[in-house]
Amino acid sequence: MAGTCEVTSDPKKRLRRTMLFLNAQRPSLMKDAYIYGPDSVILDLEDAVSENQKDAARFSLYNNLRSIDYGTVERIVRINGLDTPHWPEDVRASVAGGADGIRIPKCERACDVKRIEAAIEDAEREFSREPGCTLIMAAIESPRGVLNALDICESSERLFGVAISGGDFRAAMRTKYYPSGVEMASARGNVLLAARAAGVQCFDTVFTNLDDMDGFRAEVIMNREMGFDGKSIVNPRQIAIVHEIFTPTDKEIREALRVVRALRQNADEGVGVFLVDGKMIDAAFLSGAEHTIALARASGVLGEAL
Amino acid sequence: MDIKRGAVSGTLESSDVQVTIEPAANGIWLELSSSVMNQYSRQIRQVVLNTLSNLGVERANVTVVDRGALDSTIKARVECAVFRASEWEGAIPWQGLVK
């Protein structure tokens, strides 16, 4: 199936249901969190690291990237913001260490991505990395960032996706967390639309109350129903729930396979609209069904459903 | 690299190591204590000395309090302490002095 191989072979489109934040300054967290099997880790040089330990976190990050085998887990580094003196050295340490990608915090405009992209290009040259191998994701944390989301999503060939970050956004909107998610509706809707229009991935904000696993589950279900690709997470305990909700069920996979098969067959026979399991199906269903199959394959459950 | 002042890096948390570096008149003086002293003291000593040698540090008093850190963590903490103690300014020589 043409549309499905991409997911695993193009690093920009790989499976990213869970992106687990880890404080780059704390070796106890960094050394074994990947064992829990998130799709990606985000080694954090920004908010988790105090101002007087920024240098220490970089040494820790660099050596961690160079020496610890993360297996198939993707390693993203969250650098410090463009409004700090730290980000240029953060980019150099990340690229020198061989990070798979860089997460830009507090992204407000396409030119923010371009500045980081230029620094990455310089660092790839300096440290003899393959040009273009360091990917970018942008975190959108402000009303202006949300309004500029499409420009940001289309700002760089390296950009694989955008993440919404709720903490600063809620404060800027003069609201706070509500279980209904109504306070994040404008950001989620707009950033998702931009990501889909640009053909990049989209990740929802973290859920920080570890005592409220029911609230977490409800939010992840809403994320999946809205069409997110995954979620930034803060604790390994959150991984299993996200993977369970974001992995297609056997029933969904079998349905998707039947839809793809029926679409092919009917197209050959010149039929545009037809029924599968009592539901009206036409060509508009193809990309959705192919995505479900790709997700199942990337999650390692395609074989089980067949 | 010249050690110009005292500097500390790392914490006493589990899986971490705290490295203190101070100026010395000559040679490397290393004092080591570890929660896994019996099994690993030789290896920890080796990692600390290798790292100092790679950085070109020839004179320093070094105190290492290990809490079961990986080799890569020990290397990172020694490097950070040395760069702080040498009052290094400017870009860090990743893949150069910092192996």
Side-chain angles (χ1 to χ4, degrees), chain A residues 223-255:
Chain A
N223 291 160
R224 169 125 200 252
E225 290 175 350
M226 286 188 80
F228 280 98
D229 293 283
K231 194 167 182 66
S232 307
I233 58 171
V234 293
N235 190 286
R237 278 164 57 203
Q238 297 179 321
I239 295 171
I241 292 175
V242 181
H243 286 190
E244 175 203 323
I245 291 165
F246 268 85
T247 304
T249 62
D250 283 2
K251 185 164 168 277
E252 287 168 335
I253 299 166
R254 281 196 297 266
E255 239 170 55

Side-chain angles (χ1 to χ4, degrees), chain A residues 25-28 31 52-53 55-60 62-64 66-68 89 92-93 95-97 127 129, chain B residues 9-11 13-17 68 70 72-73 75-77 79-80 83-84 90-96 98-99:
Chain A
Q25 162 66 1
R26 306 225 3 229
S28 58
K31 84 175 165 52
N52 63 2
Q53 298 298 328
D55 58 338
R58 270 183 224 118
F59 282 103
S60 173
Y62 172 80
N63 283 288
N64 178 285
R66 302 262 288 180
S67 66
I68 295 185
E89 196 58 53
R92 290 183 68 249
V95 173
F127 300 112
R129 304 269 308 152
Chain B
S9 161
T11 71
E13 284 177 35
S14 172
S15 304
D16 205 346
V17 57
L70 296 176
S72 57
T73 302
K75 177 174 174 286
R77 296 312 193 198
E79 287 165 349
C80 181
F83 275 81
R84 285 175 175 180
I92 303 292
W94 310 110
Q95 296 187 7
V98 182
K99 290 230 178 314

Side-chain angles (χ1 to χ4, degrees), chain A residues 44-78:
Chain A
D44 189 13
L45 298 173
E46 197 212 13
D47 285 353
V49 179
S50 64
E51 196 60 28
N52 63 2
Q53 298 298 328
K54 296 295 188 189
D55 58 338
R58 270 183 224 118
F59 282 103
S60 173
L61 170 86
Y62 172 80
N63 283 288
N64 178 285
L65 286 172
R66 302 262 288 180
S67 66
I68 295 185
D69 180 4
Y70 278 78
T72 59
V73 177
E74 181 183 45
R75 303 158 314 158
I76 306 284
V77 179
R78 177 163 74 169

Side-chain angles (χ1 to χ4, degrees), chain B residues 10-66:
Chain B
T11 71
L12 298 175
E13 284 177 35
S14 172
S15 304
D16 205 346
V17 57
Q18 190 164 67
V19 177
T20 308
I21 299 211
E22 284 159 333
N26 51 51
I28 304 282
W29 302 86
L30 173 58
E31 190 182 314
L32 168 66
S33 62
S34 171
S35 55
V36 288
M37 195 70 182
N38 292 335
Q39 304 98 304
Y40 294 111
S41 63
R42 187 179 299 171
Q43 193 184 335
I44 296 166
R45 184 173 291 273
Q46 195 65 51
V47 174
V48 172
L49 293 176
N50 274 348
T51 306
L52 291 171
S53 156
N54 288 336
L55 294 172
V57 176
E58 289 166 355
R59 286 180 292 277
N61 283 322
V62 184
T63 310
V64 173
V65 183
D66 174 62

Side-chain angles (χ1 to χ4, degrees), chain A:
Chain A
M1 258 162 271
T4 60
C5 307
E6 278 189 327
V7 168
T8 43
S9 64
D10 179 353
K12 276 169 73 179
K13 298 195 168 170
R14 60 166 284 161
L15 183 69
R16 296 183 181 91
R17 298 162 298 185
T18 44
M19 308 190 85
L20 174 64
F21 274 113
L22 298 172
N23 181 347
Q25 162 66 1
R26 306 225 3 229
S28 58
L29 297 177
M30 291 243 286
K31 84 175 165 52
D32 53 20
Y34 65 94
I35 292 166
Y36 302 106
D39 293 323
S40 311
V41 290
I42 303 174
L43 306 167
D44 189 13
L45 298 173
E46 197 212 13
D47 285 353
V49 179
S50 64
E51 196 60 28
N52 63 2
Q53 298 298 328
K54 296 295 188 189
D55 58 338
R58 270 183 224 118
F59 282 103
S60 173
L61 170 86
Y62 172 80
N63 283 288
N64 178 285
L65 286 172
R66 302 262 288 180
S67 66
I68 295 185
D69 180 4
Y70 278 78
T72 59
V73 177
E74 181 183 45
R75 303 158 314 158
I76 306 284
V77 179
R78 177 163 74 169
I79 60 170
N80 286 281
L82 284 154
D83 56 345
T84 73
H86 306 302
W87 66 268
E89 196 58 53
D90 292 347
V91 169
R92 290 183 68 249
S94 305
V95 173
D100 298 310
I102 284 178
R103 174 168 164 144
I104 310 170
K106 300 187 176 68
C107 217
E108 297 219 304
R109 299 174 173 84
C111 61
D112 295 344
V113 178
K114 300 247 186 250
R115 276 180 85 187
I116 299 298
E117 182 181 47
I120 292 174
E121 279 170 13
D122 289 346
E124 284 178 349
R125 220 169 296 126
E126 180 182 358
F127 300 112
S128 307
R129 304 269 308 152
E130 188 191 326
C133 72
T134 316
L135 301 179
I136 292 176
M137 69 182 290
I140 293 179
E141 319 193 15
S142 67
R144 184 175 301 278
V146 170
L147 290 170
N148 288 334
L150 183 57
D151 279 352
I152 292 170
C153 287
E154 293 178 329
S155 59
S156 167
E157 265 304 301
R158 295 171 186 257
L159 188 134
F160 68 77
V162 282
I164 297 170
S165 192
D168 287 354
F169 181 79
R170 290 184 181 102
M173 297 298 285
R174 298 181 191 160
T175 182
K176 61 184 183 67
Y177 165 80
Y178 289 97
S180 69
V182 69
E183 86 287 3
M184 291 298 296
S186 56
R188 284 179 175 135
N190 206 57
V191 175
L192 257 171
L193 278 169
R196 288 293 164 257
V200 300
Q201 295 181 337
C202 195
F203 311 97
D204 192 41
T205 185
V206 295
F207 186 93
T208 51
N209 184 356
L210 294 174
D211 292 331
D212 182 12
M213 292 312 264
D214 290 341
F216 178 69
R217 176 176 284 274
E219 187 167 291
V220 177
I221 291 171
M222 177 188 64
N223 291 160
R224 169 125 200 252
E225 290 175 350
M226 286 188 80
F228 280 98
D229 293 283
K231 194 167 182 66
S232 307
I233 58 171
V234 293
N235 190 286
R237 278 164 57 203
Q238 297 179 321
I239 295 171
I241 292 175
V242 181
H243 286 190
E244 175 203 323
I245 291 165
F246 268 85
T247 304
T249 62
D250 283 2
K251 185 164 168 277
E252 287 168 335
I253 299 166
R254 281 196 297 266
E255 239 170 55
L257 288 167
R258 278 201 296 277
V259 165
V260 170
R261 217 172 292 135
L263 272 165
R264 290 242 168 80
Q265 214 167 8
N266 284 283
D268 290 345
E269 293 163 13
V271 181
V273 180
F274 49 88
L275 293 175
V276 174
D277 303 331
K279 275 182 240 163
M280 215 174 82
I281 298 293
D282 61 21
F285 287 81
L286 182 63
S287 77
E290 283 186 341
H291 181 72
T292 300
I293 294 164
L295 204 56
R297 175 169 298 157
S299 313
V301 297
L302 183 60
E304 291 164 33
L306 294 174

